Amino acid sequence: NKLSVVKPNGAFYLFINIKNVTNDSMEFAKKLLNKKGVAVVPGLGFGSEGYVRFSFATDEESIKEGIKRIKEFSENY
């Protein structure tokens, strides 16, 4: 598995470690949005390059679909 997560402390988002895929969180976020239609926030803006922030403040089905798309994208990056 190329991705790992930082467990949130009561927040509605988590940080996904993308360092095994790329260290460029901005490029990863742009390509993910363009190729899979999933929006994440680059970790660069939080001082956490090599991570992206994924919000799960939506319904469970959308979260599952988003995670599936992120997984597919990272496997073929």
Side-chain angles (χ1 to χ4, degrees):
N1 189 6
K2 293 183 176 184
L3 304 176
S4 61
V5 298
V6 177
K7 186 177 177 182
N9 293 321
F12 56 89
Y13 58 85
L14 52 86
F15 281 92
I16 301 172
N17 181 338
I18 60 168
K19 292 178 183 176
N20 287 332
V21 177
T22 180
N23 280 323
D24 190 336
S25 63
M26 185 72 76
E27 185 71 17
F28 183 92
K30 285 179 186 178
K31 287 182 177 181
L32 178 62
L33 180 59
N34 289 332
K35 293 184 180 198
K36 291 292 187 174
V38 177
V40 295
V41 180
L44 181 64
F46 301 97
S48 297
E49 185 58 288
Y51 291 82
V52 293
R53 190 173 85 165
F54 177 77
S55 173
F56 51 89
T58 188
D59 63 279
E60 188 174 341
E61 200 56 42
S62 295
I63 294 168
K64 287 179 181 179
E65 182 63 27
I67 290 169
K68 178 183 142 213
R69 291 180 189 188
I70 293 169
K71 181 178 184 275
E72 290 170 355
F73 175 75
S74 66
E75 289 172 347
N76 298 303
Y77 191 86

Coordinates of all heavy atoms in Angstrom, one line a residue:
N1 N 0.8 -1.2 0.0 CA 0.0 0.0 0.0 C 0.9 1.2 0.0 O 1.8 1.4 0.8 CB -0.9 0.0 1.2 CG -2.0 1.1 1.2 OD1 -2.1 1.8 0.2 ND2 -2.7 1.1 2.2
K2 N 0.6 2.2 -0.9 CA 1.5 3.4 -1.0 C 1.1 4.5 -0.1 O 1.8 5.4 0.1 CB 1.4 3.9 -2.5 CG 2.0 3.0 -3.5 CD 1.9 3.6 -4.9 CE 2.7 2.8 -5.9 NZ 2.7 3.4 -7.2
L3 N -0.2 4.5 0.4 CA -0.7 5.6 1.2 C -0.9 5.2 2.7 O -1.1 4.0 3.0 CB -2.0 6.0 0.7 CG -2.1 6.5 -0.8 CD1 -3.5 6.8 -1.2 CD2 -1.2 7.6 -1.0
S4 N -0.7 6.2 3.5 CA -1.1 6.0 5.0 C -1.7 7.3 5.4 O -1.7 8.3 4.7 CB 0.2 5.7 5.8 OG 1.1 6.8 5.7
V5 N -2.3 7.2 6.6 CA -3.0 8.4 7.1 C -2.6 8.8 8.5 O -2.1 7.9 9.2 CB -4.6 8.2 7.1 CG1 -5.1 8.0 5.7 CG2 -5.0 7.1 8.0
V6 N -2.8 10.0 8.8 CA -2.5 10.5 10.2 C -3.9 10.6 10.8 O -4.8 11.3 10.3 CB -1.9 11.9 10.2 CG1 -1.7 12.5 11.6 CG2 -0.6 11.9 9.4
K7 N -4.1 9.8 11.9 CA -5.4 9.8 12.6 C -5.8 11.1 13.1 O -5.0 11.7 13.9 CB -5.3 8.7 13.7 CG -6.6 8.5 14.4 CD -6.5 7.4 15.4 CE -7.8 7.2 16.1 NZ -7.7 6.2 17.2
P8 N -7.0 11.6 12.8 CA -7.4 12.9 13.3 C -7.8 12.8 14.8 O -8.2 11.8 15.3 CB -8.7 13.2 12.4 CG -9.2 11.9 12.0 CD -8.0 10.9 11.9
N9 N -7.7 14.0 15.4 CA -8.2 14.1 16.8 C -9.5 14.8 16.9 O -9.5 16.0 17.3 CB -7.1 14.8 17.6 CG -5.8 14.0 17.8 OD1 -5.9 12.8 17.9 ND2 -4.7 14.7 17.7
G10 N -10.6 14.2 16.5 CA -11.9 14.8 16.5 C -12.2 15.7 15.4 O -13.3 16.4 15.4
A11 N -11.4 15.8 14.4 CA -11.7 16.7 13.2 C -12.5 15.9 12.2 O -12.6 14.7 12.3 CB -10.4 17.2 12.6
F12 N -12.9 16.6 11.1 CA -13.7 15.9 10.1 C -12.8 15.8 8.8 O -13.3 15.8 7.7 CB -15.0 16.7 9.8 CG -14.8 18.1 9.4 CD1 -14.6 18.5 8.1 CD2 -14.8 19.1 10.4 CE1 -14.4 19.8 7.7 CE2 -14.6 20.4 10.0 CZ -14.4 20.8 8.7
Y13 N -11.5 15.8 9.0 CA -10.6 15.6 7.9 C -9.4 14.8 8.4 O -9.2 14.6 9.6 CB -10.1 16.9 7.3 CG -9.4 17.8 8.3 CD1 -8.1 17.7 8.6 CD2 -10.2 18.8 9.0 CE1 -7.5 18.5 9.5 CE2 -9.5 19.6 9.9 CZ -8.2 19.4 10.2 OH -7.6 20.2 11.1
L14 N -8.6 14.2 7.4 CA -7.4 13.5 7.8 C -6.3 13.9 6.8 O -6.6 14.3 5.7 CB -7.6 12.0 7.9 CG -8.3 11.3 6.8 CD1 -7.3 10.9 5.7 CD2 -9.0 10.1 7.4
F15 N -5.1 13.7 7.2 CA -4.0 13.9 6.3 C -3.5 12.6 5.8 O -3.3 11.6 6.5 CB -2.8 14.6 7.0 CG -3.0 16.1 7.2 CD1 -3.6 16.6 8.3 CD2 -2.6 17.0 6.2 CE1 -3.9 18.0 8.4 CE2 -2.9 18.3 6.3 CZ -3.5 18.8 7.4
I16 N -3.4 12.5 4.4 CA -3.0 11.3 3.8 C -1.5 11.5 3.4 O -1.2 12.4 2.7 CB -3.8 11.0 2.5 CG1 -5.3 10.9 2.8 CG2 -3.3 9.8 1.8 CD1 -6.2 10.8 1.6
N17 N -0.7 10.6 3.8 CA 0.7 10.6 3.5 C 0.9 10.0 2.1 O 0.6 8.9 1.8 CB 1.5 9.7 4.5 CG 3.0 9.7 4.3 OD1 3.5 10.0 3.2 ND2 3.7 9.3 5.3
I18 N 1.4 10.9 1.2 CA 1.6 10.5 -0.2 C 3.0 10.4 -0.6 O 3.4 10.2 -1.8 CB 0.9 11.5 -1.2 CG1 1.5 12.9 -1.0 CG2 -0.6 11.5 -1.0 CD1 1.1 13.9 -2.1
K19 N 3.9 10.4 0.4 CA 5.4 10.4 0.1 C 5.8 9.1 -0.7 O 6.9 9.2 -1.4 CB 6.1 10.5 1.4 CG 6.0 11.9 2.1 CD 6.7 11.9 3.4 CE 6.4 13.3 4.0 NZ 7.1 13.4 5.4
N20 N 5.1 8.0 -0.6 CA 5.5 6.8 -1.3 C 5.1 6.9 -2.8 O 5.4 6.1 -3.6 CB 5.0 5.6 -0.7 CG 5.7 5.2 0.6 OD1 6.9 5.5 0.7 ND2 5.0 4.5 1.4
V21 N 4.3 8.0 -3.1 CA 3.8 8.2 -4.4 C 4.6 9.4 -5.0 O 5.1 9.3 -6.1 CB 2.3 8.5 -4.5 CG1 1.8 8.8 -5.8 CG2 1.5 7.3 -3.9
T22 N 4.6 10.5 -4.3 CA 5.3 11.7 -4.7 C 5.4 12.7 -3.5 O 4.6 12.5 -2.5 CB 4.5 12.5 -5.8 OG1 5.2 13.7 -6.1 CG2 3.1 12.8 -5.4
N23 N 6.3 13.6 -3.5 CA 6.4 14.6 -2.4 C 5.7 15.9 -2.8 O 5.7 16.8 -2.0 CB 7.9 14.9 -2.1 CG 8.5 13.8 -1.2 OD1 7.9 13.3 -0.3 ND2 9.8 13.5 -1.4
D24 N 5.2 16.0 -4.0 CA 4.6 17.2 -4.5 C 3.1 17.2 -4.3 O 2.4 16.7 -5.1 CB 5.0 17.3 -6.0 CG 4.6 18.7 -6.6 OD1 3.7 19.4 -6.0 OD2 5.2 19.1 -7.6
S25 N 2.7 17.7 -3.2 CA 1.3 17.6 -2.8 C 0.4 18.5 -3.8 O -0.7 18.1 -4.0 CB 1.1 18.0 -1.4 OG 1.4 19.4 -1.1
M26 N 0.9 19.6 -4.3 CA 0.2 20.4 -5.2 C -0.1 19.7 -6.5 O -1.2 19.7 -7.0 CB 1.0 21.7 -5.4 CG 0.2 22.7 -6.3 SD -1.2 23.5 -5.4 CE -0.3 24.6 -4.4
E27 N 0.9 19.1 -7.0 CA 0.8 18.3 -8.3 C -0.2 17.1 -8.1 O -1.0 16.9 -8.9 CB 2.2 17.8 -8.8 CG 2.1 17.2 -10.1 CD 1.9 18.1 -11.3 OE1 2.0 19.4 -11.1 OE2 1.5 17.6 -12.4
F28 N 0.0 16.4 -7.0 CA -0.9 15.3 -6.7 C -2.3 15.7 -6.6 O -3.2 15.1 -7.3 CB -0.5 14.6 -5.4 CG -1.2 13.4 -5.0 CD1 -0.8 12.2 -5.4 CD2 -2.4 13.5 -4.3 CE1 -1.5 11.0 -5.0 CE2 -3.1 12.4 -3.9 CZ -2.6 11.1 -4.3
A29 N -2.6 16.8 -5.9 CA -4.0 17.3 -5.8 C -4.6 17.7 -7.1 O -5.7 17.4 -7.4 CB -4.0 18.5 -4.8
K30 N -3.8 18.4 -7.9 CA -4.3 18.9 -9.3 C -4.6 17.7 -10.1 O -5.7 17.6 -10.8 CB -3.2 19.7 -9.9 CG -3.1 21.1 -9.4 CD -2.0 21.9 -10.2 CE -1.7 23.2 -9.6 NZ -0.6 23.9 -10.3
K31 N -3.7 16.7 -10.2 CA -3.9 15.5 -11.1 C -5.1 14.7 -10.6 O -5.9 14.2 -11.4 CB -2.6 14.7 -11.1 CG -1.6 15.3 -12.0 CD -0.3 14.4 -12.1 CE 0.7 15.0 -13.0 NZ 1.9 14.1 -13.1
L32 N -5.2 14.5 -9.2 CA -6.3 13.8 -8.7 C -7.6 14.4 -9.0 O -8.6 13.7 -9.4 CB -6.2 13.7 -7.2 CG -7.3 12.9 -6.4 CD1 -7.3 11.5 -6.8 CD2 -7.0 13.0 -4.9
L33 N -7.7 15.7 -9.0 CA -9.0 16.4 -9.3 C -9.3 16.2 -10.8 O -10.4 15.9 -11.2 CB -8.9 17.9 -9.0 CG -10.1 18.7 -9.3 CD1 -11.3 18.2 -8.5 CD2 -9.8 20.2 -8.9
N34 N -8.3 16.4 -11.7 CA -8.5 16.3 -13.1 C -8.8 14.9 -13.6 O -9.6 14.7 -14.5 CB -7.3 16.9 -13.8 CG -7.1 18.4 -13.7 OD1 -8.1 19.1 -13.6 ND2 -5.9 18.9 -13.8
K35 N -8.1 13.9 -13.0 CA -8.3 12.6 -13.5 C -9.4 11.8 -12.8 O -10.0 10.9 -13.4 CB -6.9 11.8 -13.4 CG -5.9 12.4 -14.3 CD -4.6 11.6 -14.2 CE -3.6 12.2 -15.2 NZ -2.5 11.3 -15.5
K36 N -9.6 12.1 -11.5 CA -10.6 11.3 -10.8 C -11.8 12.1 -10.2 O -12.7 11.5 -9.6 CB -9.9 10.5 -9.6 CG -9.0 9.4 -10.1 CD -9.8 8.3 -10.7 CE -8.9 7.1 -11.1 NZ -9.7 6.0 -11.5
G37 N -11.7 13.4 -10.3 CA -12.8 14.2 -9.8 C -12.9 14.3 -8.3 O -13.9 14.6 -7.7
V38 N -11.7 14.1 -7.6 CA -11.7 14.1 -6.2 C -10.8 15.3 -5.7 O -9.7 15.5 -6.2 CB -11.1 12.8 -5.6 CG1 -10.9 12.9 -4.0 CG2 -11.9 11.6 -6.0
A39 N -11.4 16.2 -4.9 CA -10.7 17.4 -4.4 C -10.1 17.1 -3.1 O -10.8 16.7 -2.1 CB -11.7 18.6 -4.4
V40 N -8.8 17.3 -3.0 CA -8.1 17.3 -1.7 C -7.3 18.6 -1.6 O -7.1 19.3 -2.6 CB -7.1 16.1 -1.6 CG1 -7.9 14.8 -1.5 CG2 -6.1 16.1 -2.7
V41 N -6.8 18.9 -0.4 CA -6.1 20.2 -0.2 C -4.6 19.8 -0.1 O -4.3 18.9 0.8 CB -6.6 20.9 1.0 CG1 -5.8 22.2 1.2 CG2 -8.0 21.2 0.9
P42 N -3.7 20.4 -0.8 CA -2.3 20.1 -0.7 C -1.8 20.4 0.7 O -2.1 21.4 1.3 CB -1.6 21.0 -1.7 CG -2.7 21.4 -2.7 CD -4.0 21.4 -1.9
G43 N -1.0 19.5 1.2 CA -0.4 19.7 2.6 C 0.6 20.8 2.6 O 0.9 21.4 3.7
L44 N 1.1 21.2 1.5 CA 2.0 22.4 1.4 C 1.5 23.6 2.1 O 2.2 24.2 2.9 CB 2.3 22.7 -0.1 CG 3.3 23.8 -0.4 CD1 4.7 23.4 0.1 CD2 3.3 24.1 -1.9
G45 N 0.2 23.9 2.0 CA -0.4 25.0 2.7 C -0.5 24.9 4.2 O -0.7 25.9 4.9
F46 N -0.2 23.7 4.7 CA -0.3 23.5 6.2 C 1.1 23.2 6.7 O 1.3 22.8 7.8 CB -1.2 22.3 6.5 CG -2.6 22.5 6.0 CD1 -3.0 21.9 4.8 CD2 -3.5 23.2 6.7 CE1 -4.3 22.1 4.3 CE2 -4.8 23.3 6.3 CZ -5.2 22.8 5.1
G47 N 2.2 23.4 5.9 CA 3.5 23.1 6.3 C 3.8 21.6 6.3 O 4.7 21.1 7.0
S48 N 3.0 20.8 5.5 CA 3.1 19.4 5.5 C 3.2 18.8 4.1 O 2.4 18.1 3.6 CB 1.9 18.8 6.2 OG 1.8 19.1 7.6
E49 N 4.3 19.2 3.4 CA 4.5 18.7 2.1 C 4.7 17.2 2.2 O 5.2 16.7 3.1 CB 5.8 19.4 1.5 CG 6.1 19.0 0.1 CD 4.9 19.4 -0.9 OE1 3.9 18.7 -0.9 OE2 5.1 20.3 -1.7
G50 N 4.2 16.5 1.1 CA 4.1 15.1 1.1 C 2.9 14.5 1.7 O 2.7 13.3 1.8
Y51 N 1.9 15.4 2.0 CA 0.6 15.0 2.5 C -0.5 15.8 1.8 O -0.2 16.9 1.2 CB 0.4 15.4 4.0 CG 1.3 14.5 4.9 CD1 2.6 14.8 5.1 CD2 0.8 13.4 5.6 CE1 3.4 14.1 6.0 CE2 1.6 12.6 6.4 CZ 2.9 13.0 6.6 OH 3.7 12.2 7.4
V52 N -1.7 15.2 1.7 CA -2.9 16.0 1.3 C -3.9 15.8 2.3 O -4.0 14.9 3.1 CB -3.4 15.5 -0.1 CG1 -2.4 15.8 -1.2 CG2 -3.8 14.0 -0.1
R53 N -4.8 16.8 2.4 CA -5.9 16.8 3.4 C -7.2 16.4 2.7 O -7.6 16.9 1.7 CB -6.1 18.2 4.1 CG -7.0 18.1 5.3 CD -7.0 19.4 6.0 NE -8.0 20.3 5.4 CZ -8.5 21.4 5.9 NH1 -8.1 21.8 7.1 NH2 -9.4 22.1 5.3
F54 N -7.8 15.4 3.3 CA -9.1 14.8 2.8 C -10.2 15.0 3.8 O -10.1 14.6 4.9 CB -8.8 13.3 2.6 CG -10.0 12.5 2.1 CD1 -10.5 12.6 0.8 CD2 -10.8 11.7 2.9 CE1 -11.6 11.9 0.3 CE2 -11.9 11.0 2.5 CZ -12.3 11.1 1.2
S55 N -11.2 15.7 3.4 CA -12.4 16.0 4.3 C -13.4 14.8 4.2 O -13.7 14.3 3.1 CB -13.1 17.3 3.9 OG -14.2 17.4 4.6
F56 N -13.9 14.4 5.3 CA -14.9 13.4 5.3 C -16.2 13.9 5.9 O -17.0 13.2 6.6 CB -14.5 12.1 5.9 CG -13.9 12.1 7.2 CD1 -14.6 12.1 8.4 CD2 -12.5 12.3 7.4 CE1 -14.0 12.1 9.6 CE2 -11.9 12.3 8.6 CZ -12.7 12.3 9.7
A57 N -16.5 15.2 5.6 CA -17.7 15.9 6.1 C -18.8 15.7 5.0 O -19.3 16.7 4.5 CB -17.4 17.3 6.4
T58 N -19.1 14.5 4.7 CA -20.2 14.2 3.7 C -20.8 12.8 4.0 O -20.4 12.2 5.0 CB -19.6 14.3 2.3 OG1 -20.7 14.2 1.3 CG2 -18.6 13.2 2.0
D59 N -21.6 12.3 3.1 CA -22.2 11.1 3.4 C -21.2 9.9 3.2 O -20.2 10.0 2.5 CB -23.5 10.9 2.5 CG -23.1 10.9 1.0 OD1 -22.9 11.9 0.4 OD2 -22.9 9.7 0.5
E60 N -21.5 8.8 3.8 CA -20.6 7.6 3.8 C -20.3 7.1 2.4 O -19.2 6.7 2.1 CB -21.2 6.5 4.7 CG -20.3 5.4 4.9 CD -20.8 4.4 5.9 OE1 -21.7 4.7 6.7 OE2 -20.3 3.2 5.9
E61 N -21.3 7.1 1.6 CA -21.2 6.5 0.2 C -20.2 7.4 -0.6 O -19.3 6.9 -1.3 CB -22.5 6.4 -0.5 CG -22.5 5.5 -1.7 CD -22.0 4.1 -1.3 OE1 -22.4 3.5 -0.3 OE2 -21.3 3.5 -2.1
S62 N -20.3 8.7 -0.4 CA -19.3 9.6 -1.1 C -17.9 9.4 -0.6 O -17.0 9.5 -1.4 CB -19.8 11.1 -0.9 OG -21.0 11.3 -1.6
I63 N -17.8 9.2 0.7 CA -16.5 9.0 1.3 C -15.8 7.7 0.8 O -14.7 7.7 0.3 CB -16.6 8.9 2.9 CG1 -17.0 10.3 3.4 CG2 -15.2 8.5 3.5 CD1 -17.4 10.3 4.9
K64 N -16.6 6.7 0.7 CA -16.1 5.4 0.2 C -15.7 5.5 -1.3 O -14.7 5.0 -1.7 CB -17.2 4.3 0.3 CG -17.4 3.8 1.7 CD -18.5 2.8 1.8 CE -18.7 2.3 3.2 NZ -19.8 1.3 3.3
E65 N -16.5 6.2 -2.1 CA -16.2 6.4 -3.5 C -14.9 7.3 -3.6 O -14.0 7.0 -4.5 CB -17.3 7.1 -4.2 CG -17.1 7.3 -5.7 CD -16.9 6.0 -6.5 OE1 -17.4 4.9 -6.1 OE2 -16.2 6.1 -7.5
G66 N -14.8 8.3 -2.8 CA -13.6 9.1 -2.9 C -12.3 8.4 -2.5 O -11.3 8.5 -3.2
I67 N -12.4 7.5 -1.5 CA -11.3 6.7 -1.1 C -10.9 5.7 -2.2 O -9.7 5.5 -2.5 CB -11.6 6.0 0.3 CG1 -11.6 7.0 1.4 CG2 -10.5 4.9 0.6 CD1 -12.2 6.5 2.7
K68 N -11.9 5.1 -2.8 CA -11.7 4.2 -3.9 C -10.9 4.9 -5.0 O -9.9 4.4 -5.6 CB -13.0 3.6 -4.4 CG -12.9 2.7 -5.5 CD -14.2 2.2 -6.0 CE -14.2 2.1 -7.5 NZ -15.4 2.4 -8.2
R69 N -11.4 6.1 -5.4 CA -10.7 6.8 -6.5 C -9.3 7.2 -6.1 O -8.4 7.2 -7.0 CB -11.6 8.1 -6.8 CG -12.9 7.7 -7.5 CD -13.6 9.0 -7.8 NE -15.0 8.7 -8.2 CZ -15.8 9.6 -8.7 NH1 -15.4 10.9 -8.8 NH2 -17.0 9.3 -9.1
I70 N -9.1 7.7 -4.9 CA -7.7 8.0 -4.5 C -6.8 6.8 -4.5 O -5.7 6.9 -5.0 CB -7.7 8.6 -3.0 CG1 -8.5 10.0 -3.0 CG2 -6.3 8.8 -2.5 CD1 -8.8 10.5 -1.6
K71 N -7.3 5.7 -4.1 CA -6.5 4.4 -4.1 C -6.1 4.1 -5.6 O -5.0 3.8 -5.9 CB -7.3 3.3 -3.5 CG -6.5 2.0 -3.5 CD -7.3 0.9 -2.7 CE -6.6 -0.4 -2.6 NZ -6.7 -1.2 -3.8
E72 N -7.1 4.1 -6.5 CA -6.9 3.8 -7.9 C -5.9 4.8 -8.5 O -4.9 4.4 -9.2 CB -8.2 3.9 -8.7 CG -9.2 2.8 -8.4 CD -10.5 3.1 -9.0 OE1 -10.8 4.1 -9.6 OE2 -11.4 2.2 -8.9
F73 N -6.0 6.0 -8.2 CA -5.2 7.1 -8.7 C -3.7 6.9 -8.2 O -2.8 6.9 -9.0 CB -5.7 8.5 -8.3 CG -4.8 9.6 -8.7 CD1 -4.7 10.0 -10.0 CD2 -4.0 10.2 -7.7 CE1 -3.9 11.1 -10.4 CE2 -3.1 11.2 -8.1 CZ -3.1 11.7 -9.4
S74 N -3.5 6.6 -6.9 CA -2.2 6.5 -6.4 C -1.5 5.3 -6.9 O -0.3 5.2 -7.1 CB -2.2 6.5 -4.9 OG -2.9 5.4 -4.4
E75 N -2.3 4.2 -7.2 CA -1.7 3.0 -7.7 C -1.2 3.2 -9.1 O -0.3 2.4 -9.6 CB -2.7 1.8 -7.7 CG -3.0 1.4 -6.3 CD -4.1 0.3 -6.2 OE1 -4.9 0.2 -7.2 OE2 -4.2 -0.3 -5.1
N76 N -1.7 4.1 -9.9 CA -1.3 4.3 -11.3 C -0.6 5.7 -11.5 O -0.5 6.1 -12.6 CB -2.6 4.3 -12.2 CG -3.3 2.9 -12.1 OD1 -2.6 1.9 -12.4 ND2 -4.5 2.9 -11.7
Y77 N -0.2 6.3 -10.4 CA 0.5 7.6 -10.5 C 1.8 7.5 -11.3 O 2.6 6.7 -11.1 CB 0.7 8.2 -9.1 CG 1.1 9.6 -9.1 CD1 0.1 10.6 -9.1 CD2 2.4 10.0 -9.1 CE1 0.5 12.0 -9.1 CE2 2.8 11.4 -9.1 CZ 1.8 12.3 -9.1 OH 2.1 13.7 -9.1

